[in-house]
Amino acid sequence: MTKKLRACLGLLAIGAFFPGCASSGEAQAERVDVFYPPAPAEPRLQLLAKFSDSSDIQPVSSFKRFIAGDEPKRNIERAQGMAWHAGNLYVCDPGVAHVVVCDLVKRELRALDPDRRGVFKKPLDIAIAPDGWKYITDTVQRKIVVYDREDQYHGTFGDPEAWRPVGIATTPDKLYVTDVANHALVVLDRKTGVELERIGKRGSGEGEFYYPIAVAVGPDGDLHVADSFNFRIQRLRPDGTFVSSVGKAGKRLGQFARPRGVAVDREGRIYALDGAFENCQIFDADGKLLLFFGAPGSQPGAINLPGSVRVSYSAVDAFRDKVAPGFDIEYVVFISSQAGLNKVNVYGLLRKGE
């Protein structure tokens, strides 16, 4: 047997053991797209991806596993607040007392500032300003932990004796933080951390809160607050003036049992999570229910103990290749779960392709 023939037989043997790897890589699984609402209704959202461990960001081929062996996976244990910036999804993970970075540029899952261990106790939410500075609420330390655009630690904001921060949102010059200890929305100067004002107090009236858990800034600057034990999403002017509210206690569509995260798109549509229903309801700017999606379970797109919802226009290019033929996406919706197989689901708001 010649050396050339032996080499050819060797390649054939590898191809038989790993079908397709000798030529075009691993066989691709048949594409199955998940839409909301399901057929025969016109699809408005598509499930694009999920992030639960490092293999979701950088899949490992069977051939590489055979040659190099299994590499330990890096996992997201309990996903809470999230924010997208410059090709990275930052995910607060109180399960490992850190912020996990899903880096889609380097194709890796890593910890934010891994050498500075012990900075976090229970990180719950994160906001990233347009200049890349990051602000993370830690509900055990009762502080806001600050990182710059290069992911370098820059200290903390807040007096642990004065509040208990949970949800956070940012504008170019301010931070809006929900304070569950005082049932208020605290406004801080983003650069200095100095408290500028407090909005609301404990109660059920307009502009009052009972365990406000999340906040989002709308396209007009209005504040949307998930007022959890009042079972509603309140909309306020930046100065705290009440505008309107969505939802009430109940089990029907348009109602809430345990409102959690909130996000607002450029058209004023409101995305509201419910920790009891384990779904997301979408309302228009006038509070009319447009759509709901998600359910608990292990199926693709399932939501289990949801933590946060975020809308991102800048993330579109990172996921456009996942969109079903004939469609494009207007923006990306991220939803985190504290339990289940899908720690972060990525959805796209669909529009007809050109």
Side-chain angles (χ1 to χ4, degrees), residues 16 37 49 264 334:
V264 187
F334 298 100

Side-chain angles (χ1 to χ4, degrees), residues 4 22 32 136 249 319:
K4 183 175 182 180
V32 178
I136 301 109
F319 297 97

Side-chain angles (χ1 to χ4, degrees), residues 282-344:
I282 308 175
F283 301 86
D284 69 12
D286 296 321
K288 178 184 176 181
L289 180 66
L290 301 175
L291 174 68
F292 76 95
F293 66 99
S298 57
Q299 70 276 14
I303 299 171
N304 295 274
L305 295 179
S308 177
V309 56
R310 290 288 187 270
V311 167
S312 174
Y313 290 82
S314 60
V316 166
D317 287 344
F319 297 97
R320 184 168 270 131
D321 63 338
K322 307 292 185 183
V323 182
F327 292 98
D328 197 357
I329 50 175
E330 182 179 343
Y331 54 77
V332 171
V333 180
F334 298 100
I335 293 181
S336 65
S337 290
Q338 300 176 68
L341 299 179
N342 312 310
K343 294 305 192 297
V344 176

